[in-house]
Amino acid sequence: MTYPPTDDRLRHLLAQEINLSVDTWKLAFRIADGIVKDPAIRAELERVATIHSKGQPCGDRHCGRCFAAITEADR
C-alpha cells in the first residue's frame, strides 16, 4: 500500500501542508476534506489540468512553471 493512498491523495497532501499551520492533524484533515469536496475548487483543478494537458499555461501566478513562461514571454 502506498501513502498517501491513491484514492485520497489530494486530501492527504493538502492536510500535510495545512498541518504546518494548525495544532492538530485531525483539524488539518477536516480542513483538507472541505477543500477537496468544494465544487469550485474541484472545477479549478480540472480547468488547470485540462489546460496543462494541452501544453498551455494556466495563467495562475502561483503555478511556477506557467508564471515563469508568461513573464518570460512578456520580456
Side-chain angles (χ1 to χ4, degrees):
M1 181 175 190
T2 61
Y3 186 83
T6 55
D7 64 340
D8 204 17
R9 189 176 311 272
L10 180 59
R11 183 168 60 144
H12 278 77
L13 293 173
L14 286 168
Q16 287 174 353
E17 186 64 28
I18 293 166
N19 195 41
L20 300 173
S21 301
V22 298
D23 293 333
T24 67
W25 172 252
K26 185 175 180 179
L27 176 58
F29 212 65
R30 288 186 75 188
I31 293 168
D33 188 58
I35 292 169
V36 170
K37 291 178 179 175
D38 185 286
I41 293 171
R42 298 300 295 199
E44 180 61 8
L45 288 171
E46 188 66 33
R47 181 191 75 79
V48 169
T50 299
I51 290 172
H52 281 175
S53 71
K54 295 176 182 177
Q56 300 171 349
C58 65
D60 187 328
R61 65 183 173 154
H62 299 287
C63 180
R65 181 186 71 196
C66 293
F67 189 67
I70 291 168
T71 55
E72 185 66 29
D74 289 342
R75 290 183 189 179

